[in-house]
Amino acid sequence: MMFCCFQANATDQFVQFVPDTQNFKLASTQESFSILYDPLDDKGIQRALLNLQKDFIKVLRNEPGMVTEPGKESKLIIGSLQSNPIRQLIKQGKLNGSELEGKKEKYIITTLQNTDGTSDEILVIAGSDKRGTIYGIYELSAQIGVFPWYYWADVPVEQQENIYIKKGTYTDGEPAVKYRGIFLNDEAPALSGWSSEMFGGFNSQLYEKVFELLLRLKGNFLWPAMWGSAFYDDDLLNGPLAHEMGIIIGTSHHELLGRAHAEWRRYGSGEWDYSKNEAGLTQF
């Protein structure tokens, strides 16, 4: 498997594990806390929120609650620009919506004080859109100590007693490159044999792991396996899963209009030659 190794980080490290006068306690092993979110927000965002919840368990051995109404334990508010909690903060003048409006794949992570109905100090992750919000979620995951490659490289997670947030506002801005991703080198017997042994092939179970890695690395694009494989045909859940999680799917250099070359062997008729089989290739 070939990976283009990239990692984009927020401007500064805003997570600390020891107290000082410039930060506030977000979470600890002993105290309950919750994440305020909008249940109507995109399913891909909610999937990333569940992963963040698991990441907190890895670090603190303490599971944050997921709530849809503000409360004193709501120390973390997460949502896209379209979500109700974020719109309320903008309406109240506590969050500058112009930093996100009209932007692509941008997030803002900021600290706020004295928010009605929540704890005195809170952390807010707001995204301009679906992927922007997801990137903000995974930036927090990385800063609390869950390395993006935790699964693929067996990177252990260091446990902490407390998580503190340095007050301020943090962002990567908009990505400078529109499509950022990897190509799966599925040559046999390496990745193809491993994927068959672990997941039963290049199916949605495997791609869920790949998509999560891409999003944790702030990527958005995948060229899937193609040697004897057909992304959309091998597992009918592959395409919908990519859409839900926020991954754009391309095809390799010789695969036309989103159809895998393996599909021609399965369903094509006649020669793979446009000069001799124009009707067959056009129909395909």
Side-chain angles (χ1 to χ4, degrees):
M1 180 164 30
M2 296 179 64
F3 286 107
C4 174
C5 298
F6 55 89
Q7 175 69 60
N9 293 318
T11 305
D12 296 299
Q13 179 73 21
F14 56 84
V15 170
Q16 299 179 3
F17 304 111
V18 294
D20 67 32
T21 58
Q22 298 299 314
N23 60 32
F24 74 92
K25 184 187 288 187
L26 175 67
S28 75
T29 57
Q30 304 298 325
E31 301 171 24
S32 59
F33 67 103
S34 60
I35 300 171
L36 176 63
Y37 77 106
D38 187 342
L40 299 180
D41 224 341
D42 190 276
K43 289 183 179 180
I45 294 173
Q46 296 189 49
R47 180 186 285 267
L49 283 171
L50 291 176
N51 283 337
L52 176 63
Q53 190 179 34
K54 296 174 185 176
D55 292 345
F56 271 112
I57 296 173
K58 294 171 186 174
V59 176
L60 293 175
R61 306 169 301 283
N62 187 5
E63 181 178 7
M66 303 290 290
V67 299
T68 58
E69 296 293 336
K72 287 298 182 182
E73 294 182 354
S74 305
K75 293 187 175 183
L76 181 54
I77 299 177
I78 301 178
S80 68
L81 187 60
Q82 293 74 38
S83 69
N84 184 60
I86 300 305
R87 289 201 307 269
Q88 288 298 317
L89 290 173
I90 294 172
K91 183 178 179 180
Q92 296 165 4
K94 296 173 181 177
L95 195 65
N96 185 0
S98 65
E99 292 292 326
L100 296 172
E101 292 169 357
K103 302 297 192 295
K104 299 290 186 183
E105 300 184 353
K106 180 181 178 181
Y107 68 84
I108 290 175
I109 299 176
T110 189
T111 55
L112 295 178
Q113 288 184 302
N114 300 320
T115 299
D116 296 339
T118 63
S119 63
D120 292 336
E121 294 178 295
I122 60 171
L123 182 66
V124 176
I125 300 177
S128 62
D129 49 25
K130 173 179 181 171
R131 276 190 288 269
T133 309
I134 292 172
Y135 296 154
I137 291 169
Y138 285 135
E139 179 63 35
L140 177 58
S141 285
Q143 293 217 14
I144 67 174
V146 180
F147 190 57
W149 294 81
Y150 76 94
Y151 172 79
W152 294 95
D154 297 315
V155 180
V157 177
E158 184 177 353
Q159 295 184 338
Q160 305 291 342
E161 296 298 320
N162 302 288
I163 293 175
Y164 296 90
I165 303 297
K166 186 176 180 181
K167 297 174 185 178
T169 299
Y170 309 88
T171 183
D172 283 328
E174 292 183 281
V177 177
K178 185 174 183 179
Y179 298 114
R180 309 169 307 281
I182 60 176
F183 158 66
L184 289 190
N185 187 342
D186 55 332
E187 299 278 0
L191 181 60
S192 61
W194 181 85
S195 64
S196 295
E197 178 183 349
M198 294 295 293
F199 300 100
F202 292 103
N203 55 31
S204 54
Q205 297 176 61
L206 168 76
Y207 281 119
E208 181 180 12
K209 298 290 188 183
V210 176
F211 297 161
E212 181 188 331
L213 172 66
L214 278 169
L215 294 169
R216 285 181 183 266
L217 293 171
K218 301 187 178 75
N220 63 5
F221 198 96
L222 176 73
W223 292 264
M226 47 75 62
W227 286 107
S229 301
F231 179 80
Y232 296 106
D233 195 48
D234 290 340
D235 184 344
L236 297 182
L237 296 177
N238 284 344
L241 179 66
H243 178 70
E244 177 182 314
M245 294 184 69
I247 298 298
I248 303 161
I249 301 298
T251 49
S252 296
H253 55 284
H254 66 287
E255 297 184 306
L256 307 178
L257 301 175
R259 297 213 68 175
H261 186 71
E263 291 183 81
W264 175 257
R265 294 197 295 272
R266 299 172 189 178
Y267 308 117
S269 178
E271 293 187 59
W272 181 259
D273 186 334
Y274 193 76
S275 67
K276 299 177 181 178
N277 189 20
E278 177 180 348
L281 283 166
T282 299
Q283 178 62 34
F284 173 76

